[in-house]
Amino acid sequence: MLTTDPGTPGKNKWEINSSLNYHITNQPYIQIPAAEIVYGIGNHWQISVQLPLPEVELNKSHFTTFTQPQMGIKCQLLDEQTQFISCSVYPQIIIPIQKDQTTQVFIPLEFEKSFNHFRIGEEIGYFVMSPNTICNGTIAGYQFNSDLELMGEFFLTKITGQAQSTTGLLNLGFRKQLNNHVVCMSSMGTEIITPYNEEKQYLFGLVGLQVLLGE
C-alpha cells in the first residue's frame, strides 16, 4: 500500500520487496519490478535501500524514464506490544541520477493501532523538494485468517502554497502469507481527486512478493 506501517523486521532480519507496478492515465504504463531491501539493525530500527529501475511505455515498448534510488532509516518510537500505540519516524532521501532530477527528502510519521482482527494506520509526511509537498495516508486492515489480510486506504498529497493541487487516491489490496519466508501482495486503486493541471490516474496497482530472511 502507499501508506507505510510503523513496524520493522526485527534485529538481524531482512525483507526484500519486489513488485510489478502499473498505472493508466490517457496511456497505460508499466514499471519493471522494483527492488527494495530492508535490514533490521535493532529490534526497533531498520535501514532500507530502493533501487532505481526504468519504466516501459506499453504502446511504444521502449524505456522512457528512470526512478531514483532511495535510502532511509526507520526508528520505531512506540511499540503497541508494550505501549498503547505503535509510532515510527522514517526519514528518507531520494537521490538524483539524471540532470532533470533533484534531491528530495521525505520525513514521515507513522501510527498504528490494532483492535482484535482490525488495525488502523495513519501516515503524515512532508516532501522537501521543489515544490514542497505534504501527504497523508489512512489505512484500515482486517486479518481474515492467520495468513491473509485485506486492506483499504485513502491517500492524499498536496503541493504547499498552490491552490487546486490536491491528489486523492483510493486503494484496495491484500497480503497473503505463502510460507514462513514468502508473502504475496497485490493492490488496485483509482484517483478520485485530480489536480486541475494533471492527467487522472484511472487505474493503478501492483503485484509483488516479499521475501523474509534472517533469524
Side-chain angles (χ1 to χ4, degrees):
M1 309 299 279
L2 300 172
T3 305
T4 304
D5 70 86
T8 59
K11 188 176 181 179
N12 297 327
K13 293 184 179 180
W14 296 82
E15 289 181 3
I16 302 173
N17 302 300
S18 182
S19 63
L20 183 69
N21 304 282
Y22 61 87
H23 61 95
I24 298 175
T25 54
N26 292 331
Q27 298 186 51
Y29 290 84
I30 188 169
Q31 186 180 54
I32 291 175
E36 181 189 35
I37 301 172
V38 179
Y39 176 66
I41 56 177
N43 291 327
H44 300 293
W45 291 82
Q46 75 173 43
I47 54 175
S48 65
V49 177
Q50 184 171 311
L51 305 179
L53 292 169
E55 289 184 352
V56 176
E57 192 174 351
L58 287 177
N59 62 338
K60 296 182 181 178
S61 299
H62 68 270
F63 296 114
T64 54
T65 61
F66 282 80
T67 58
Q68 297 175 231
Q70 184 170 321
M71 301 176 64
I73 183 165
K74 182 192 288 185
C75 173
Q76 188 171 16
L77 306 173
L78 299 174
D79 188 343
E80 189 179 8
Q81 295 183 356
T82 55
Q83 285 96 16
F84 175 74
I85 196 171
S86 294
C87 174
S88 289
V89 59
Y90 190 14
Q92 300 157 61
I93 183 170
I94 304 168
I95 303 166
I97 56 175
Q98 294 185 349
K99 291 182 179 179
D100 60 345
Q101 296 175 339
T102 60
T103 301
Q104 303 173 32
V105 176
F106 181 45
I107 307 173
L109 278 171
E110 293 105 12
F111 303 89
E112 186 175 277
K113 177 63 181 175
S114 299
F115 305 91
N116 296 321
H117 294 285
F118 293 91
R119 67 182 176 104
I120 298 174
E122 189 80 10
E123 181 177 41
I124 303 169
Y126 188 78
F127 273 101
V128 182
M129 51 192 292
S130 180
N132 296 334
T133 303
I134 57 175
C135 72
N136 176 224
T138 301
I139 186 170
Y142 176 72
Q143 196 71 38
F144 189 77
N145 55 40
S146 60
D147 57 9
L148 176 63
E149 183 179 20
L150 308 178
M151 293 169 286
E153 72 173 336
F154 181 57
F155 197 87
L156 286 170
T157 62
K158 178 176 174 54
I159 298 174
T160 59
Q162 291 189 19
Q164 298 182 320
S165 62
T166 299
T167 300
L169 304 172
L170 186 64
N171 197 20
L172 301 173
F174 72 86
R175 286 169 47 92
K176 171 70 175 177
Q177 185 99 23
L178 301 181
N179 55 47
N180 290 336
H181 299 287
V182 180
V183 179
C184 175
M185 305 174 292
S186 183
S187 70
M188 181 179 295
T190 187
E191 188 173 89
I192 59 175
I193 302 174
T194 304
Y196 73 96
N197 60 344
E198 293 185 9
E199 293 181 346
K200 179 177 180 178
Q201 291 191 74
Y202 295 101
L203 187 68
F204 66 90
L206 65 84
V207 178
L209 288 177
Q210 181 181 72
V211 179
L212 308 174
L213 303 172
E215 300 175 358

